[in-house]
Amino acid sequence: MKGITANMSKAEIVETFMNWLRQRNPGEQEFHQAVYEVGINVLPFLLKHPEYTETNIFARLTEPDRIIVFRVAWQDDDGNIQVNRGYRVQHCNAIGPYKGGIRFHPSVNLSILKFLAFEQTFKNSLTGLPMGGGKGGADFDPKGKSDAEIMRFCQSFMTELYRHIGPYTDVPAGDIGVGAREVSYLFGQYKRLANQFTGVLTGKGLAFGGSEIRVEATGYGCVYMMEDMLKHRGDAIEGKTAVVSGSGNVALYAAEKLIELGAKPVTLSDSSGFVFDPAGIDSEKLAWAKALKEVRRGRIAEYAEEFKVEYHQGKRPWNVPCQIALPCATQNEIEHADAEALLSNGCLGVAEGANMPSTQDAIDAFQAARILFAPSKAANAGGVAVSGLEMTQNSMRLSWSRDELNRHLREIMLDIHNRCVEHGSERDGFVNYLKGANIAGFIKVADAMRAYGVM
Ligand code: NDP
Ligand code: 2IT
């Protein structure tokens, strides 16, 4: 890359690259953060691999293949016409069709979707399945909307998006604010416009091409990753106290798997606060929490009222003592002071269920303390992995059993763990899972890009 010379230190190389990136993408802080998190490992690796440097692959990978931005107009229940902005970032299809979720949240902007699509490309590569990276969404707030409003919004959103996606082009799925209900409305509208019943979205209902285990996959996969990291250190997940943030799709099924494996989740949260249940969230209480969040769409504060436990309004759960922490809500929810609090309370490991939940200085603190740290592109890859298996089943026009899919998910997570160990082990035996995931994810995409020539 221009400006980078062989005699530069690693820090100078990363800084030179980041200056170039920041100038090209002004104000896109989350995107800068995500590229830095990969660049600190991949840029030094490139020095030893001129085949990638000569072809300028990392710089090319920071430029999405294309970005689609569109108006989404819809009518609310009072008859008012509302307008939102819709996006699809088609980041890289070097190893398969663009694949990644759709997020509906008022904070959605181009920086957030570019960071998510960039991350998705490496995550999908790590799964070993043939999927490229993409992400989409809208600055639409589903909170407080009626089912009819959600339906009209989804139909309007898909009316533009449908011409840009397809089972061999781009296969969206859910993310924050997009669950089974929204995927169903989106798929229904796609099917109607395209007059085709194809595997164009994943996370579909089981009655119309969905896959067993997809709902559970991200949360389960995250706990499997923690289990494998602990095993690799000669430890076990059984008996560990776990702090979980979020109370959505990822958090609820992470808690479910923790309980099943004999660990004790003690917190859940939402954007209003967190509940602390020192006795542990057991299966019965979790079933209640699932009904609260998935059916009644209530707030987590109600859990505290129901089970007479503490509710901490406006706070995140990282000051609660635990051995393992699973951030499963959103980006940058663990800041440096939170990381310090976790460490001083004896936390042994963090597995990121959410995408980029730890800030860079929080990651630095975890790594300096040599605790187990699984970055999101490895720890939450189970969701998209089962999405990949949903695509496979749709192509084959058959459905696999729950046991078979859980077995596949378990194997894929172990394989990701082992590839992190392969590429991230340091001389003293410490495994830098972030470095391992970044390099393993990068190599496959980079090799495909080199093979295609300049494009
Ligand atoms: P959901 O919409 O089901 O749940 C999101 C949860 O996070 C809710 O409890 C929500 O609280 C909370 N949350 C969202 N935004 C914020 C915020 N700004 N501050 C505090 N809390 C917040 O989403 P998912 O569970 O699907 O996604 C959670 C994370 O996991 C995201 O980072 C997503 O990208 C990632 N992920 C999801 C996958 C999937 O398969 N669904 C796969 C891989 C990663 P509230 O209701 O108050 O907004
Ligand atoms: O961040 C993610 O990996 C997801 N939201 C899931 C993507 C997918 O296509 O299943």
Side-chain angles (χ1 to χ4, degrees), residues 271-303:
S271 56
S272 311
F274 77 90
V275 295
F276 174 36
D277 188 342
I281 298 164
D282 59 21
S283 306
E284 230 167 90
K285 293 177 193 169
L286 184 67
W288 188 92
K290 275 191 198 167
L292 170 75
K293 299 305 281 192
E294 295 177 345
V295 183
R296 293 195 282 123
R297 298 181 192 277
R299 308 300 296 162
I300 202 63
E302 293 175 47
Y303 180 103

Side-chain angles (χ1 to χ4, degrees), residues 99-101 120 123 135 171 173-175 202 214 355 380 383-384 387:
K99 178 86 198 87
Q120 195 83 45
K123 181 196 311 191
K135 202 87 187 190
V171 184
D175 194 78
T202 60
R214 177 61 189 88
N355 283 307
N380 72 32
V384 76
S387 277

Side-chain angles (χ1 to χ4, degrees), residues 116-424:
L116 288 164
F118 178 80
E119 279 280 298
Q120 195 83 45
T121 297
F122 300 102
K123 181 196 311 191
N124 293 4
S125 162
L126 269 179
T127 66
L129 299 171
M131 298 181 289
K135 202 87 187 190
D139 60 352
F140 169 75
D141 188 356
K143 280 201 193 77
K145 303 287 189 300
S146 69
D147 282 352
E149 288 174 324
I150 298 284
M151 179 187 77
R152 288 195 291 274
F153 182 82
C154 288
Q155 290 180 344
S156 181
F157 183 87
M158 185 53 84
T159 300
E160 175 57 34
L161 187 68
Y162 96 99
R163 70 190 86 247
H164 307 290
I165 62 174
Y168 297 101
T169 315
D170 184 350
V171 184
D175 194 78
I176 292 177
V178 178
R181 172 181 61 170
E182 293 74 18
V183 168
S184 305
Y185 290 143
L186 291 165
F187 180 70
Q189 182 72 351
Y190 179 89
K191 184 176 66 55
R192 178 187 186 194
L193 292 168
N195 192 27
Q196 279 181 355
F197 193 107
T198 56
V200 72
L201 278 145
T202 60
K204 299 186 292 297
L206 293 179
F208 46 93
S211 175
E212 292 282 3
I213 297 285
R214 177 61 189 88
V215 176
E216 296 88 344
T218 313
Y220 280 17
C222 179
V223 175
Y224 291 148
M225 176 61 67
M226 179 57 77
E227 186 184 28
D228 290 336
M229 291 198 298
L230 285 163
K231 265 192 201 158
H232 191 75
R233 271 207 176 167
D235 201 344
I237 198 162
E238 200 182 348
K240 297 278 187 293
T241 297
V243 161
V244 178
S245 68
S247 52
N249 173 260
V250 181
L252 291 170
Y253 291 93
E256 181 164 290
K257 187 52 78 177
L258 285 168
I259 297 167
E260 199 184 309
L261 297 181
K264 185 168 86 165
V266 291
T267 61
L268 286 172
S269 74
D270 59 25
S271 56
S272 311
F274 77 90
V275 295
F276 174 36
D277 188 342
I281 298 164
D282 59 21
S283 306
E284 230 167 90
K285 293 177 193 169
L286 184 67
W288 188 92
K290 275 191 198 167
L292 170 75
K293 299 305 281 192
E294 295 177 345
V295 183
R296 293 195 282 123
R297 298 181 192 277
R299 308 300 296 162
I300 202 63
E302 293 175 47
Y303 180 103
E305 280 167 38
E306 176 73 16
F307 298 109
K308 308 280 176 276
V309 299
E310 291 171 25
Y311 174 62
H312 297 261
Q313 172 97 30
K315 298 249 161 56
R316 300 168 183 161
W318 314 121
N319 281 300
V320 172
C322 65
Q323 285 131 349
I324 56 184
L326 305 181
C328 297
T330 193
Q331 65 273 359
N332 293 330
E333 56 170 315
I334 300 186
E335 295 177 277
H336 187 252
D338 303 315
E340 292 295 345
L342 285 165
L343 290 170
S344 65
N345 282 328
C347 181
L348 303 169
V350 177
E352 296 187 323
N355 283 307
M356 205 169 73
S358 314
T359 58
Q360 188 61 48
D361 50 6
I363 297 175
D364 293 342
F366 294 142
Q367 293 197 321
R370 311 297 253 187
I371 67 160
L372 300 169
F373 172 74
S376 39
K377 61 176 75 64
N380 72 32
V384 76
V386 176
S387 277
L389 300 177
E390 183 171 331
M391 290 165 72
T392 308
Q393 294 167 83
N394 291 164
S395 300
M396 296 167 80
R397 294 191 158 80
L398 51 76
S399 304
W400 295 332
S401 71
R402 205 178 155 77
D403 279 355
E404 185 159 6
L405 281 150
N406 196 32
R407 226 175 15 252
H408 277 302
L409 172 63
R410 191 68 196 88
E411 278 167 16
I412 290 171
M413 294 313 298
L414 179 60
D415 186 59
I416 293 174
H417 172 272
N418 293 346
R419 282 199 293 140
C420 291
V421 172
E422 183 188 337
H423 293 279

Side-chain angles (χ1 to χ4, degrees), residues 87-89 100-104 108 113 116-117 134-138 157 175:
Y87 303 85
R88 186 73 183 165
V89 178
I102 291 179
R103 177 177 292 192
F104 291 164
V108 162
L113 293 179
L116 288 164
K135 202 87 187 190
F157 183 87
D175 194 78

